[in-house]
Amino acid sequence: MFGPQGPTLRELAAQALSSVEHGYDLLAPKFDHTPFRTPDGVLDAVAKALAPLGPFTDGLDLCCGTGAGTRVLAELCRRSVTGVDFSAGMLDVARQRVRPVDGPGIAWVRGDARALPFTPAFDLVVSFGAFGHFLPRELPSLFAQVGSVLRPGGRFAFPVFAPPRPAHPGFWLLLGFDTVMRVRNALWRPPFVMYYRAFRLGTVLRELERAGLTVELGVLPGFGRRADGSPRARLVVARRPEERPAQVSPPRAE
């Protein structure tokens, strides 16, 4: 992270002491050289898992950042792909790095995922690595927003990785990070919401269903299994139900 192309410790500190929006504006030029960017292996696995569910016409990359997930949508969608993010800096980088060639048209929109500026215009919405920026109490409104921009039958998909167990060093690394962020937010304003351990699968599935979406939970192969046999990586696919035709009562006999 502190290599020639990545941010310095000083730059990361400046980001962490900013708001989420301004922090990502600062980090944007070097974001793709940090571990925060979703790895290509995850992107490719999600694209492969979603391909049989298509064809898709119009896609939305929710909290698109520098556009890594937008490339996935460009492989899956025939007509258009839209990336939405509230960081102008991240969108500027995305515009430079993701350019349409012979695929669907690509548009970039600055907006908040909690108040999406779209009609039901998409049959596929994806998101990668952004959910740590939403508190658990925000999930109902977030998922309701996603449902509101899906066409009937449209899908909302994202990968979820099993959290490390206490015996694994990663457990303590994530716990320490979240603890530091909570202390920082208790002492400093504006807050910077980024918690790795707050997005729990059970809660997520429940809130998706409460938002009126039908949820399927798949496995992303290639990431192995934990000691208890459970997969390390899953794909959540939440589908907006098809609209039923209105029931027309037969005319009553006079």
Side-chain angles (χ1 to χ4, degrees):
M1 184 183 298
F2 308 121
Q5 295 180 297
T8 65
L9 181 60
R10 181 177 180 178
E11 288 171 330
L12 285 175
Q15 180 210 10
L17 294 176
S18 304
S19 66
V20 179
E21 179 181 350
H22 184 55
Y24 276 102
D25 287 345
L26 296 173
L27 184 61
K30 299 183 178 182
F31 179 81
D32 285 352
H33 302 289
T34 72
F36 305 129
R37 181 191 182 275
T38 303
D40 287 338
V42 176
L43 299 170
D44 293 341
V46 171
K48 185 176 181 179
L50 289 176
L53 303 180
F56 301 102
T57 303
D58 302 292
L60 174 68
D61 185 5
L62 187 73
C63 306
C64 65
T66 55
T70 309
R71 295 191 183 100
V72 171
L73 288 176
E75 298 174 12
L76 299 170
C77 298
R78 296 177 296 184
R79 183 168 61 191
S80 73
V81 172
T82 302
V84 61
D85 201 282
F86 73 165
S87 166
M90 298 288 271
L91 290 173
D92 286 342
V93 174
R95 289 187 185 95
Q96 297 169 18
R97 297 188 180 177
V98 184
R99 298 180 182 272
V101 184
D102 296 323
I106 298 179
W108 307 100
V109 176
R110 186 180 181 189
D112 192 329
R114 290 160 292 200
L116 292 172
F118 307 111
T119 60
F122 305 100
D123 48 10
L124 179 61
V125 176
V126 298
S127 193
F128 295 92
F131 295 119
H133 296 302
F134 300 95
L135 297 172
R137 66 173 180 269
E138 296 178 298
L139 294 183
S141 60
L142 174 66
F143 294 155
Q145 282 291 300
V146 174
S148 73
V149 303
L150 284 171
R151 297 189 183 112
R155 291 176 170 91
F156 174 36
F158 52 90
V160 175
F161 285 82
R165 300 287 175 83
H168 192 282
F171 174 90
W172 300 102
L173 177 64
L174 297 182
L175 178 62
F177 181 92
D178 283 7
T179 301
V180 169
M181 292 304 296
R182 292 185 186 280
V183 172
R184 177 255 186 244
N185 290 335
L187 301 176
W188 194 268
R189 291 290 184 273
F192 191 99
V193 176
M194 181 63 210
Y195 300 121
Y196 281 101
R197 300 173 71 250
F199 194 70
R200 300 182 181 276
L201 183 57
T203 303
V204 168
L205 299 180
R206 182 173 64 251
E207 295 300 342
L208 286 168
E209 291 176 347
R210 289 180 60 187
L213 303 174
T214 302
V215 184
E216 296 181 0
L217 192 60
V219 175
L220 288 177
F223 296 96
R225 292 182 176 270
R226 302 200 292 183
D228 62 2
S230 61
R232 295 187 183 278
R234 296 181 181 270
L235 181 67
V236 177
V237 180
R239 188 169 183 264
R240 178 177 172 179
E242 298 278 0
E243 291 183 352
R244 295 181 179 179
Q247 296 292 326
V248 179
S249 301
R252 292 188 301 174
E254 295 293 337

